[in-house]
Amino acid sequence: MSRILLFNKPYGVICQFSRDGMHPTLADYIAVPEVYPAGRLDTDSEGLLLLTDDGKLQHRITDPRHKLPKTYLVQAEGVPDEAALLKLRQGVQLKDGMTLPAEVRLISEPVDLWPRTPPVRFRKEIPTSWLELTIREGRNRQVRRMTAAVGFPTLRLIRWRIGDWSLEGLPPGKWRSLPTA
């Protein structure tokens, strides 16, 4: 029977078990043998990371051909107008090519969101906004590059959902195991 772990990766943690001497790693939070991350989440991003001991499942989660939706909560610098949201919905030209269309909407600041350590830099003159953004590919730093390309850089990025798996009710630095078939 295979295992799936849902982990709420805190800011500053690297997505590997081996130590690099500079950052906390998965080994600082998860003492479960033979599970490996299904995908990556940048050190400066937070949120849902799936780990499994099932190589086929790991492949299905990470392979772009399966186009598994990944939903992010994005704190952006500025307030995107409808034209910027439309660009994200149609796909954005990046240096490595056009992205697939994203699902995106402006949302209120999530009420149950944990504080980030260190906090996002506050600037009184520049407002921020929150987006819920879903993509179906996983290029390097894709969400950050997409929001920057439409003029609203990402300040805080939290992966909230991968497919049917969600971060709901899982505090930062904690994990839970799911039953699998």
Side-chain angles (χ1 to χ4, degrees), residues 102-173:
E103 297 167 34
V104 63
R105 65 187 181 103
L106 277 169
I107 60 171
S108 300
E109 181 174 348
V111 290
D112 293 334
L113 198 57
W114 58 89
R116 193 186 87 174
T117 304
V120 172
R121 183 171 51 125
F122 175 75
R123 293 191 286 178
K124 193 166 68 172
E125 298 81 31
I126 300 176
T128 65
S129 57
W130 284 89
L131 305 169
E132 181 183 86
L133 191 141
T134 301
I135 60 173
R136 294 179 181 276
E137 53 190 338
R139 300 183 200 183
N140 186 43
R141 301 181 69 79
Q142 180 175 341
V143 171
R144 291 177 186 280
R145 294 190 297 141
M146 288 174 73
T147 63
V150 298
F152 299 91
T154 295
L155 300 172
R156 186 175 181 192
L157 184 62
I158 303 161
R159 184 161 56 198
W160 191 257
R161 179 179 301 278
I162 299 172
D164 293 331
W165 297 291
S166 167
L167 203 56
E168 191 72 38
L170 191 59

Side-chain angles (χ1 to χ4, degrees), residues 1-180:
M1 183 174 235
S2 58
R3 296 191 74 171
I4 297 177
L5 304 182
L6 306 183
F7 176 56
N8 188 345
K9 186 192 90 62
Y11 179 90
V13 174
I14 56 175
C15 288
Q16 63 188 40
F17 283 95
S18 56
R19 303 194 189 281
D20 72 350
M22 298 185 316
H23 300 93
T25 70
L26 298 176
D28 294 307
Y29 295 90
I30 302 168
V32 177
E34 306 299 319
V35 294
Y36 302 95
R40 300 189 67 77
L41 196 54
D42 295 328
T43 306
D44 55 355
S45 298
E46 307 163 72
L48 184 59
L49 183 67
L50 298 176
L51 297 98
T52 183
D53 60 359
D54 181 333
K56 288 182 182 177
L57 177 60
Q58 188 178 28
H59 178 74
R60 187 174 66 80
I61 292 168
T62 58
D63 191 319
R65 290 177 295 196
H66 296 289
K67 300 200 180 359
L68 197 62
K70 297 169 192 77
T71 300
Y72 297 83
L73 302 179
V74 180
Q75 184 180 16
E77 183 175 279
V79 181
D81 55 15
E82 195 54 42
L85 296 175
L86 182 60
K87 287 178 186 176
L88 293 167
R89 290 180 186 127
Q90 293 174 336
V92 177
Q93 183 66 45
L94 302 176
K95 287 182 182 176
D96 56 349
M98 193 74 164
T99 67
L100 293 175
E103 297 167 34
V104 63
R105 65 187 181 103
L106 277 169
I107 60 171
S108 300
E109 181 174 348
V111 290
D112 293 334
L113 198 57
W114 58 89
R116 193 186 87 174
T117 304
V120 172
R121 183 171 51 125
F122 175 75
R123 293 191 286 178
K124 193 166 68 172
E125 298 81 31
I126 300 176
T128 65
S129 57
W130 284 89
L131 305 169
E132 181 183 86
L133 191 141
T134 301
I135 60 173
R136 294 179 181 276
E137 53 190 338
R139 300 183 200 183
N140 186 43
R141 301 181 69 79
Q142 180 175 341
V143 171
R144 291 177 186 280
R145 294 190 297 141
M146 288 174 73
T147 63
V150 298
F152 299 91
T154 295
L155 300 172
R156 186 175 181 192
L157 184 62
I158 303 161
R159 184 161 56 198
W160 191 257
R161 179 179 301 278
I162 299 172
D164 293 331
W165 297 291
S166 167
L167 203 56
E168 191 72 38
L170 191 59
K174 300 296 181 188
W175 61 271
R176 72 173 160 252
S177 184
L178 297 180
T180 59

